[in-house]
Amino acid sequence: MTTMKPGSRGADKPTDKPGAKPAPKLVKKGLGEVDDRFGTAGFLKRNLNKVFPDHWSFMLGEIALYSFVILLLSGTFLTFFFRPGTNEVIYQGNYTPLRGLHMTEAFASTLRISFDVRGGLIIRQIHHWAALIFMAAIVAHCCRIFFTGAFRKPRETNWLIGVGLVSLGLLEGFAGYSLPDDLLSGTGLRIAYGIVEAIPVVGTYLGSFVFGGQFPGPDFIPRLFTIHILLVPAILLSLITAHMLIMWHQKHTQWPGEHRTNNNVVGAPFYPAFMAKTGGFFFATFAVTAAISGLVQVNPVWLYGPYNPMQVGAGSQPDFYIGWLEGSLRMMPNLETHVDGHTISWNVLIPAVVLPGILFTAMAMYPFIEAWVTRDYAAHNICDRPRNRPGRTALGVAVLTELGVLLLAGGNDVLSEKYDISLYATTRIFQLAFFVLPPLAFMATRRICLGLQRRDVHSAEHGYETGRIVMLANGEFIEVESALPEDVVARMGLEYRQGPPPPLEPAVDEHGVRSRLRHSAIEKVRGKLGDYLYEQDAEPPPNGHGGHANGHALDGSDHEQPKLTTGSDD
Amino acid sequence: MSDHVPTESGGSLDLPDADVGSPVRPPIIERVIRPQDADPKRADRAERWIALMFLASAAGTVAFVVFYLAIPSLHTIGQVHASNVLLGCSLAVSLGGLGAGMIAWVRWLMPAHESVQERHELAASDDDLETAAQVIMAGLEETGLARRSLLKRSLGLAMGLFALPAVLLLRDLGPLPRKSLDTTLWKKGSLLLNAETGEPVKLGDLEIGSFTTVLPLKVDDPLMNEEELSKAPVLLIRLEPGLNKPAPGREGWDFEGHVAYSKICTHVGCPIGLYQKQSHKLLCPCHQSTFDVPRACKVVFGPAARALPQLPISVNSNGEFVATAGFDQPVGPSFFERS
Amino acid sequence: MIVGGLLAIGSAYGFVTARPGVAAAGNPNESVLQGKALYLQGCSSCHGLAAEGGTDAPSLIGVGAAAVDFQVSTGRMPLQQQEAEARRKPPRYDPAETAQLAAYIASLAPGPSVPSKDQYTPTDADMALGGNLFRTNCSSCHNFTGEGGALAYGKSAPSLRNSTDQQIYEAMLTGPGTMPVFGDRQLTPQQKQDIIAYVQGMKAEPDPGGFSLGRAGAVAEGLVAWLAGVGVLAGVAMWIGARARRAT
């Protein structure tokens, strides 16, 4: 084993990279000290150069990540002042309209933060706005991952972690805004207890154990506090770390384009360009959050008053990420069955337990379902353009439409009041929309995707219309079409479109024996799904070029139509 | 310019006209020359703009400090408002200046060339896979689990059980529900007390078309804890004479047009404070369950499945409203054990 | 002669019936007569010639001067068209005429009289207590601070933004439309003053957190988070990722 004097690794040494500038002694010395202890140099050499692709849609997850950081920072400040007590106090603070009233210590300390602590209100608002932006960004990011197929192998685990993050984020937000124990959020907690109570067999026990007795339970706010500041943030932090590390290790996906293949990454190196971009984006996220917090009021608990089980306000709304559950509770018909001295409350179970259960389970299983239907088990590092996957895109839009209907239904009383629509009419309209709009959205989206594909193929083949009209010698008028640049065609990703998966084996083999696999019920289902969802319409219409019967490039050049592929890429 | 670019793993990328650039950096596949790359004066001008952004950020930070100290106390809402706006906006400038400056720095001054990097095959080589599997098997062999079924089964028993204390410790998180959900503080002889003042409501206090919230005990009564308070509120409503249609078996539960029903919605428990006097309906503001008061508060719209429980009332010799019995069923949302 | 006969009957009627607390200036009799004239002209087509009501409108006998003052001074009455509920609009009658109409209706039968300034102006009022009362009795229709709320059957509880102290008092006292009645034995005048102090205080109170989005709640906040939050930041991301400008 060689002994090294301190600082000896900084000595000049010929580099094996001709043309590279040798590093200054000081940098090598500093790096050397760290490297001696951790072996950092190897890590840095490999990872500082890591290439990250450049597209704005890849930064949606960063909005969520940086909002989380803002939540941690602002939340820590709040914990220095918030007291999660359900003991009753008489308020004597700065806010006169509530002075002298009995309220819980939780509410009183929230008032103190808002009205007595300098900077308290801005930090409280930053915390709440950051939570709203966090959830909105997660939804946007989730949509981006879904519509570009970035959940496919090898990224299924990251997708599962993501589903976990969405659900935990929802829980965390609900817990957070319920902590101040104001009239609005207390009503929400009452509803939550009612939902838990409705669960068959274990509901009342679950409610009693979670809340510490009947509603409201003296221990509930303190428990919610522990959950909100310790348990869930810890799990979120570890899941987010895992999420980032997996993404780092597997490298980011990229859009199709020139020089971009399934086996490389094109973009900018991590250090310094990407670091600067993402660092700047962190500050931008914080700045936007701070600006909104300074200018727009959020969750004004002093207007709602302290929680009192006898009181409620009209137009009570949860935060938007819970809004879809509120809507489903409102829209559900009042079904209840009484069996043998027991009650099963379908009116509460279906909207508040079954529906989210189905949604999150389906989300979690989706990568595996899609892989099974398409029989595509290869690794994919190129993003799909949504139009190139009409089935998946249409399904996603239909689900989003459904959630949108439920979200709006959750605010039906506000809509009724603001826009003068009969309250009961809004209920009926949303009940109808729940069944009618998603299939319509599915069909419309699918057709739009197929149409856009057709346009892409046409453009790749014929070029784009220049708007120049030219008269030919024989008197005929044509519009000149100019070939698209190579990189534009490459970005269309036409070679990544997918038709229905090929059959596993022929229906009848060479001896004339019918294939049992092909005729099994499951395979039939898979076949139908694949055919329908992945039906391609990228061949030009049978009557030639449609409206562009005379469209040519002036030089008569022709682009070869890209071939369809199925299954994995090269 | 070379066509074959060496990669870290020892292979090479086939990129025509590729520019290797610095040998310690990833290969560049497209050189991007922006106006400021070609003209140093433009680059200097870009630098000045970026510096301006950073200076604005610094100014914002100073402004934040000034505003924080300038509003030393928060006695009026106007001061809170001013503090919020000023601190929020100065913070936004302070952070935004940094953010904008960093982004501008990358976009305008740092090289914009497109680099390329090969993706390594994530999967290890077949040999490695085989070796790893063999290591696992060899280790398993060393544990002897395969041969020693007594060991395996007793281990399974111990491991299966050891987490039980953690689960059991949760037992005292709350009491068993037992019959707690079935009863309220209302019983025969309970006076209907005004929820705000605690005074008994007397016959004649309510006009026709009035309604009020009543409790069986005062709010500060030792028996009236938060949990009982969540089940106890009752609505006393005065209907027009002759309007009320008592449900079978409930004749006499009303008194001279006055009826009393639980205020807690049977859907998921919101208090119903919304009485529409002309249509005699109670509308829960949470999910729009609607109850028809003259018809035993049966549900006419919305997701609630049960009518509101009715409290039988009468008037005593002092003219005060009293309950002639407690509720005949649990109040509030339905649960499994409720028949 | 008919007019003379009407006048005679009207004044005789005015002498005979009790007129509790008519707060009209000038000769009470004359107020009643003028009020009746106004009534016959503007109200009787729906409410009947003797205020007995009809298929379109309820009877006004016994509603009291307070109810008339409320409905007319908020412009709800006269209704311009048959609709689910009467909405606030610019009043058709000036205060003097309103008082006359009130006097006439009050002369028909006893009912709640127009509250005096002392009664409806909050004095020694406790805004905190008033808030508590408001949240128990009023907020489930009118929203936490009186911004208004939706009701069933095409009705709504209106916003209290434009209501005066007097109108709030009168509304509680008479229960206009589908609003329940909160008589003085149920909510004492002092409690009513507390509630008025709360409502007016909340209206006057600035929003310390910034623009209040109409105090509409989480629906509006969610919209702002998406549009101003994620929307603006997506725009910033587009700036970051935009294609660099090439020289030449």
Side-chain angles (χ1 to χ4, degrees), chain B residues 176-191:
Chain B
L176 290 176
R178 296 232 169 83
K179 292 282 168 215
S180 59
L181 286 169
D182 293 350
T183 56
T184 66
L185 286 175
W186 289 100
K187 54 185 202 292
K188 178 172 170 165
S190 297
L191 288 174

Side-chain angles (χ1 to χ4, degrees), chain A residues 374-407:
Chain A
T374 58
R375 269 203 295 279
D376 180 359
Y377 298 104
H380 290 276
N381 296 309
I382 297 278
C383 293
D384 283 329
R385 292 183 81 200
R387 67 186 64 182
N388 289 341
R389 292 279 189 265
R392 181 205 297 149
T393 305
L395 184 66
V397 170
V399 171
L400 285 176
T401 306
E402 190 79 298
L403 290 173
V405 165
L406 289 177
L407 181 60

Side-chain angles (χ1 to χ4, degrees), chain B residues 30 32-35 42 77 80-81 84 100 103-104 107 112 194 196-197 204-213 263 273-279 281 283 285 300, chain C residues 132-133 136-137 140-141 150-153 155 174-183 185-186 191 205-210 236 239-247:
Chain B
E30 192 198 338
V32 175
I33 307 294
R34 299 160 298 190
R42 291 179 97 115
I77 295 185
V80 177
H81 178 43
N84 192 66
I103 296 169
R107 281 194 56 76
N194 182 308
E196 300 303 318
T197 62
D205 283 353
L206 290 183
E207 323 234 342
I208 294 178
S210 283
F211 84 124
T212 190
T213 308
K263 192 173 183 180
L274 212 161
Y275 177 56
Q276 291 192 225
K277 146 184 125 221
Q278 281 171 339
S279 47
K281 301 286 194 299
L283 175 66
V300 294
Chain C
N132 209 23
L133 286 165
T136 303
N137 295 296
S140 55
C141 290
L151 300 176
Y153 307 119
K155 297 182 192 286
T174 62
T178 203
M179 175 169 164
V181 178
F182 295 94
R185 280 187 304 270
Q186 183 188 347
Q191 286 179 318
E205 186 182 282
D207 290 298
V236 174
W239 177 40
I240 296 176
R243 214 165 132 75
R245 195 151 62 106
R246 267 77 169 144

Side-chain angles (χ1 to χ4, degrees), chain B residues 170-236:
Chain B
L170 298 175
R171 164 64 187 88
D172 267 358
L173 275 178
L176 290 176
R178 296 232 169 83
K179 292 282 168 215
S180 59
L181 286 169
D182 293 350
T183 56
T184 66
L185 286 175
W186 289 100
K187 54 185 202 292
K188 178 172 170 165
S190 297
L191 288 174
L192 273 61
L193 304 176
N194 182 308
E196 300 303 318
T197 62
E199 296 305 312
V201 178
K202 289 183 139 130
L203 184 62
D205 283 353
L206 290 183
E207 323 234 342
I208 294 178
S210 283
F211 84 124
T212 190
T213 308
V214 292
L215 292 171
L217 296 169
K218 285 200 173 133
V219 175
D220 50 14
D221 189 296
L223 280 177
M224 185 64 91
N225 54 29
E226 280 288 298
E227 287 71 42
E228 292 299 336
L229 189 58
S230 301
K231 294 183 297 186
V234 157
L235 291 173
L236 181 65

